[in-house]
């Protein structure tokens, strides 16, 4: 009898311990904290991304269609320092519209003041970049990319669980998430939906079509290149046999003025392929032959995105042209098209003058892209 | 009586369903065929950045080798009956960086190929004129996915093939003497290649056709190898002759491996 009692007590004890061990750490059922949102209408409005005539349609992933409500939410989030640990920085801190969504720094600084190792890339036409994002292409798409800066210690230095909690308790965001994604309660606000909303906003960051280059190629009456711009255009795309081939268009092709591929453009002097201080693409693929390769950035709005290269080493376009004219430093994986060009000073200036025709101020001033909190 | 009608209607319904679900191919049973493209340099597998003897004085390595294929079809044995199988696709050896990867090659699957005997594989190298236009192909279309890297507006054409690399011409084992970049395109460079095959396709069993492309043969000329020092690039119209001389060699550089 005594043994039976001990046996039953043991079973009960083990059961209690199992239940105790499985309970939620907080001791509070989170469902108690979930605020219902179903009283708010969910009627998302599909949003068409307006693109210039010389652009293809914007590719949109089927699991994140662009809606007015999603873009609105993404825009609030993009400009909100709620994503950072000390509420001082937002996505826009490093991606300012007036600088074509860059920050004007050689390398970006995070909330702690610590510097990163790379320059903030322009977000102009970023929705079209399907061959990896960041300088090294480590993110496959915008939905993945938008997740990363939050927890990067040299960027926003926050944790996603804390961000989710802040968004759930916010006075505005639960309603915006409901309208964008149809969530039923605040607990359904997640980092994935946050990233989706930011991605939707980023997909509308498309050229205005009002740069001089676009107006010229789209046949706007009365818009012509100057002689210098035309010579620059011809050298950029190697069109005129009378002018040298500046080899630019191979990596910066139309319409986005990038091929979204990865290149070693010869800016680093190394004794071998292991010598690159920043291995770039090589750290992602693991291939030594990708060391020192970085994504070719768009040259649209290049006049607004100094300093240049992945580490911001060149302050001016003149310095950039000087580098390419020199052919840069040899490495086995330096792109074969990076070679001494023998351009004269006038020819370099012609190319710079052509690059200036890619300036798109209306894009930077588009009201749809500005800070909604101001 | 009612019972028989129900059974009759049931049988008819089942037959209609069965007929509607079967393969619609009028040719009967079909299967898949893997086109396995393998690149070599002479008799060696082509591995990016591996060094090869180009001629008596020059060694080379390659960094890119890619091309478009199009209008792929199989011709039945014993007749001229041709089955179109693929409109256009992109073949890239750019990421082939090991012998194992080179031997595995790049595969393209041809689907719904009627079973039977085939004697000829027809492949276009390049982009056919009707597709070789500045169109808004979707990002998932082979011509859309490679538009920024391969559509050259100066030519009004896709670059049909890219071959890039470096050469050591003075024997110092430094490959900084020549960087060559052969970008080949425009409609007149399009190549129709016919490759004899002996292919028996049976139902339920995928076929494999191994297509070997010997890059060395693209550079063979009557008087030796193409001079890379004098012809490092093929970008302008004035270099079209050199570009054409390389593209014209594709039919001779391709064969079916047993």
């Amino acid at each position: 009898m005594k043994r039976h009692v001990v046996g039953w007590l043991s079973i009960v004890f083990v059961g209690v311990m199992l239940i105790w061990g499985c309970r939620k750490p907080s001791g509070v059922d989170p469902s108690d904290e979930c605020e219902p949102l179903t009283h708010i209408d969910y009627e998302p409005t599909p949003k068409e991304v307006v693109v210039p005539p010389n652009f293809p349609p914007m590719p949109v992933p089927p699991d994140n269609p662009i809606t007015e409500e999603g873009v609105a939410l993404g825009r609030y989030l993009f400009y909100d320092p709620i994503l950072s640990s000390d509420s001082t920085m937002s996505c826009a801190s490093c991606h300012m519209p007036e600088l074509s969504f860059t920050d004007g720094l050689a390398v970006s600084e995070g909330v702690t003041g610590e510097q990163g190792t790379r320059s903030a890339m322009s977000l102009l036409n970023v929705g079209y970049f399907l061959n990896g994002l960041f300088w090294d292409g480590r993110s496959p798409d915008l939905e993945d990319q938008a997740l990363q800066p939050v927890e990067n210690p040299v960027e926003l230095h926050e944790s996603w669980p804390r961000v989710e909690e802040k968004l759930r308790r916010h006075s505005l965001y639960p309603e915006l998430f409901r309208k964008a994604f149809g969530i039923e309660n605040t607990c359904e606000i997640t980092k994935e939906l946050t990233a989706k909303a930011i991605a939707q906003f980023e997909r509308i960051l498309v050229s205005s079509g009002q740069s001089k280059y676009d107006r010229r190629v789209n046949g706007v009456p009365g818009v012509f290149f100057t002689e210098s711009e035309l010579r620059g255009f011809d050298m950029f795309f190697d069109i005129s046999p009378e002018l040298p081939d500046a080899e630019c268009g191979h990596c910066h092709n139309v319409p986005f003025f990038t091929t979204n591929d990865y290149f070693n453009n010869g800016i680093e002097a190394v004794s071998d392929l292991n010598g690159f201080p920043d291995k770039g693409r090589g750290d992602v693929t693991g291939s030594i032959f990708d060391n020192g390769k970085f994504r070719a950035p768009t040259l649209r709005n290049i006049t607004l995105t100094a300093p240049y290269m992945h580490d911001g080493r060149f302050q001016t376009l003149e310095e950039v042209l000087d580098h390419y004219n020199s052919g840069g430093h040899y490495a086995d994986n330096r792109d074969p098209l990076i070679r001494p060009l023998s351009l004269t000073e006038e020819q370099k200036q012609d190319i710079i003058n052509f690059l200036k025709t890619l300036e798109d101020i209306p894009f930077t001033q588009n009201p749809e892209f500005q800070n909604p909190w101001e | 009586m009612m019972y028989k009608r129900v059974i009759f209607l049931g049988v008819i319904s089942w037959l209609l369903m069965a007929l509607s679900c079967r393969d619609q191919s009028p040719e009967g049973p079909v299967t898949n065929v893997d086109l396995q493209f393998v690149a070599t340099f002479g008799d060696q597998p082509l591995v990016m950045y591996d060094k090869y003897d180009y001629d008596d004085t020059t060694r080379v390595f390659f960094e890119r080798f890619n091309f478009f294929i199009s209008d792929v079809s199989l011709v039945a044995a014993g007749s001229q009956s041709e089955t179109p199988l693929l409109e256009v696709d992109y073949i890239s050896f750019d990421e082939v960086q090991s012998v194992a990867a080179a031997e595995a090659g790049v595969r393209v699957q041809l689907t719904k190929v009627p079973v039977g005997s085939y004697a000829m594989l027809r492949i276009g190298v390049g982009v056919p004129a009707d597709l070789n236009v500045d169109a808004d192909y979707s990002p998932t279309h082979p011509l859309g996915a490679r538009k920024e890297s391969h559509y050259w507006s100066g030519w009004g054409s896709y670059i049909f093939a890219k071959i890039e690399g470096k050469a050591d011409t003075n024997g110092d084992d430094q490959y900084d003497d020549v960087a060559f970049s052969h970008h080949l395109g425009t409609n007149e460079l399009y190549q129709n290649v016919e490759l004899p095959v002996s292919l028996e396709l049976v139902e339920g069993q995928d076929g494999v056709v191994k297509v070997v492309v010997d890059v060395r043969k693209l550079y063979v000329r009557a008087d030796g190898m193409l001079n890379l020092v004098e012809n490092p690039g093929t970008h302008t119209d004035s270099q079209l002759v050199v570009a054409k001389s390389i593209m014209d060699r594709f039919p001779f550089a391709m064969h079916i491996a047993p």
Side-chain angles (χ1 to χ4, degrees):
Chain A
M1 181 65 184
K2 207 173 189 178
R3 265 187 289 177
H4 280 295
V5 171
V6 171
W8 278 110
L9 282 175
S10 300
I11 290 168
V12 169
F13 176 76
V14 169
V16 167
M17 290 309 289
L18 279 172
I19 292 166
W20 185 260
C22 291
R23 78 195 178 106
K24 295 284 188 288
S26 65
V28 178
D29 184 347
S31 62
D32 293 344
E33 298 176 350
C34 299
E35 295 292 332
L37 297 168
T38 48
H39 60 284
I40 301 167
D41 287 343
Y42 170 54
E43 293 170 355
T45 311
K47 181 175 178 65
E48 185 184 356
V49 182
V50 179
V51 306
N54 51 327
F55 280 26
M58 170 63 66
V60 178
D63 63 347
N64 192 21
I66 300 178
T67 63
E68 298 282 358
E69 294 79 4
V71 169
L73 170 59
R75 185 175 159 198
Y76 275 108
L77 291 164
F78 186 88
Y79 284 96
D80 195 338
I82 197 172
L83 300 182
S84 64
S85 57
D86 61 359
S87 299
T88 59
M89 288 186 72
S90 67
C91 306
S93 301
C94 298
H95 299 285
M96 308 171 191
E98 63 271 26
L99 296 178
S100 200
F101 290 89
T102 64
D103 61 6
L105 300 173
V107 293
S108 298
E109 290 179 3
V111 291
T112 62
E114 196 179 347
Q115 287 190 325
T117 56
R118 295 176 187 164
S119 182
M121 298 196 85
S122 172
L123 302 184
L124 172 58
N125 300 320
V126 71
Y128 286 105
F129 301 162
L130 304 179
N131 191 31
L133 296 163
F134 292 115
W135 283 100
D136 55 14
R138 65 185 181 274
S139 257
D141 52 41
L142 285 171
E143 284 75 8
D144 177 86
Q145 189 280 331
L147 292 172
Q148 298 201 29
V150 167
E151 295 194 326
N152 190 326
V154 294
E155 294 187 59
L156 303 180
H157 198 29
E158 179 57 294
S159 78
W160 269 112
R162 274 174 49 87
V163 170
E164 289 171 337
E165 204 52 44
K166 286 187 278 185
L167 294 173
R168 288 167 187 160
R169 293 178 177 171
H170 197 273
S171 59
L172 176 65
Y173 281 116
E175 180 180 349
L176 293 180
F177 271 92
R178 164 69 183 170
K179 288 180 172 174
F181 297 112
I183 59 172
E184 295 189 349
N185 62 63
T186 53
C187 291
E188 292 178 22
I189 294 176
T190 61
K191 64 179 183 180
E192 287 80 12
L193 290 183
T194 307
K196 277 188 170 182
I198 294 172
Q200 286 190 38
F201 172 63
E202 290 177 321
R203 284 196 176 92
I204 72 164
L205 302 178
V206 176
S207 294
S208 71
Q210 296 303 309
S211 72
K212 184 173 184 181
Y213 167 82
D214 288 311
R215 286 181 293 140
R216 177 73 190 96
V217 299
N218 289 324
V220 174
V223 180
F224 301 102
F225 287 140
T226 65
E227 285 188 17
S228 173
E229 290 163 352
L230 189 57
R231 285 194 301 270
F233 171 80
D234 284 349
M235 286 184 281
F236 191 99
F237 289 112
D238 188 21
I239 287 169
S240 169
E242 280 85 46
L243 291 167
D245 180 0
E247 310 281 19
C248 313
H250 303 289
C251 305
H252 299 284
N253 202 1
V254 293
F256 307 116
F257 285 83
T258 172
T259 56
N260 292 313
D261 271 335
Y262 302 86
F263 303 94
N264 170 8
N265 63 354
I267 57 173
E268 208 70 70
V270 291
S271 55
D272 59 49
L273 294 179
N274 282 313
F276 292 97
D278 183 345
K279 292 188 172 54
R281 184 67 175 161
D283 272 338
V284 175
T285 65
S287 167
I288 188 174
F289 301 111
D290 286 335
N291 285 352
K293 289 185 180 179
F294 294 91
R295 195 151 71 84
T298 179
L299 299 188
R300 287 180 172 275
N301 265 342
I302 194 70
T303 48
L304 306 179
T305 62
Y308 304 109
M309 306 294 150
H310 70 276
D311 54 6
R313 67 179 60 196
F314 298 137
Q315 301 301 311
T316 64
L317 287 174
E318 283 76 9
E319 288 178 47
V320 174
L321 264 292
D322 284 342
H323 160 69
Y324 285 119
N325 202 31
S326 76
H329 302 283
Y330 178 82
D332 277 356
N333 67 354
R334 180 186 63 182
D335 194 87
L337 295 164
I338 303 294
R339 58 177 182 81
L341 300 173
S342 304
L343 302 176
T344 65
E345 290 301 316
E346 184 188 13
Q347 288 166 338
K348 285 188 284 185
Q349 193 56 52
D350 289 340
I351 292 170
I352 290 172
N353 287 341
F354 168 65
L355 291 174
K356 288 178 179 174
T357 70
L358 301 174
E359 187 171 280
D360 184 358
I361 297 299
F363 164 79
T364 67
Q365 296 175 340
N366 187 328
E368 279 196 274
F369 305 160
Q370 309 304 315
N371 187 346
W373 300 101
E374 290 177 349
Chain B
M1 193 63 182
M2 184 70 176
Y3 176 71
K4 282 182 180 172
R5 274 188 190 164
V6 169
I7 289 180
F8 176 74
L9 284 172
V11 169
I12 292 292
S13 302
W14 180 83
L15 277 173
L16 285 172
M17 278 175 63
L19 284 171
S20 66
C21 291
R22 73 180 186 141
D23 196 310
Q24 296 298 303
S25 169
E27 307 299 326
V30 294
T31 189
N32 300 323
V33 174
D34 266 2
L35 274 186
Q36 180 190 10
F37 287 88
V38 171
T40 65
F41 191 83
D43 56 4
Q44 303 170 73
L46 183 74
V47 178
M48 297 298 115
Y49 297 99
D50 274 10
K51 276 83 175 183
Y52 302 94
D53 289 328
Y54 184 77
D55 58 24
D56 291 343
T57 58
T58 302
R59 282 171 63 76
V60 295
F61 67 77
F62 294 86
E63 296 168 79
R64 282 196 188 92
F65 176 44
N66 56 63
F67 54 90
F68 285 99
I69 58 169
S70 53
D71 291 342
V72 177
S73 64
L74 279 166
V75 180
S79 75
Q80 288 302 304
S81 169
E82 185 172 357
T83 306
L85 295 167
L86 181 72
E87 186 179 50
V88 65
D89 213 334
Y90 174 70
I91 306 294
S92 173
F93 297 93
D94 297 0
E95 306 302 324
V96 172
Q97 294 177 357
S98 68
V99 171
E103 289 173 345
V106 177
R107 286 176 180 254
V108 173
Q109 190 173 63
L110 308 175
T111 58
K112 295 185 178 175
V113 185
V115 301
S117 301
Y118 293 95
M120 182 83 77
L121 174 69
R122 288 188 174 136
I123 299 179
V125 179
V127 180
D130 58 328
L131 299 179
N132 191 19
V133 291
D134 185 5
D136 284 341
Y137 295 109
S138 83
T140 54
H141 189 282
L143 296 177
R146 305 309 304 176
K147 188 168 182 185
E148 283 90 37
S149 61
H150 281 69
Y151 188 80
W152 193 243
S153 53
W155 294 347
S157 168
Y158 275 84
I159 298 169
F160 294 171
K162 285 186 181 181
I163 312 171
E164 297 179 3
K166 296 189 179 79
D168 167 22
T169 59
N170 59 13
D172 64 356
D173 205 29
Q174 300 297 309
Y175 288 75
D176 53 358
D177 303 325
V178 179
F180 56 93
S181 175
H182 295 135
H183 292 186
L184 316 165
T186 69
N187 289 338
E188 60 189 289
L189 269 61
Y190 185 80
Q191 299 294 313
N192 290 298
V193 181
E194 293 191 338
L195 301 168
V197 294
S198 179
L199 182 63
E200 291 290 335
L201 295 179
V202 295
E203 191 172 10
Q205 193 176 329
D206 288 0
V208 177
V209 177
K210 186 173 176 181
V211 182
V212 179
V213 188
D214 182 353
V215 175
R216 186 177 184 281
K217 286 184 176 171
L218 298 176
Y219 289 92
V220 171
R221 300 292 177 271
D223 55 350
M225 300 292 282
L226 178 73
N227 188 321
L228 295 176
V229 176
E230 293 175 3
N231 302 290
T234 52
H235 302 142
T236 59
D237 289 348
S238 61
Q239 295 157 334
L240 188 64
V241 174
V242 177
K244 191 167 187 323
S245 77
I246 299 172
M247 280 297 289
D248 283 349
R249 297 287 304 169
F250 261 96
F252 305 100
M254 298 172 79
H255 71 272
I256 302 293

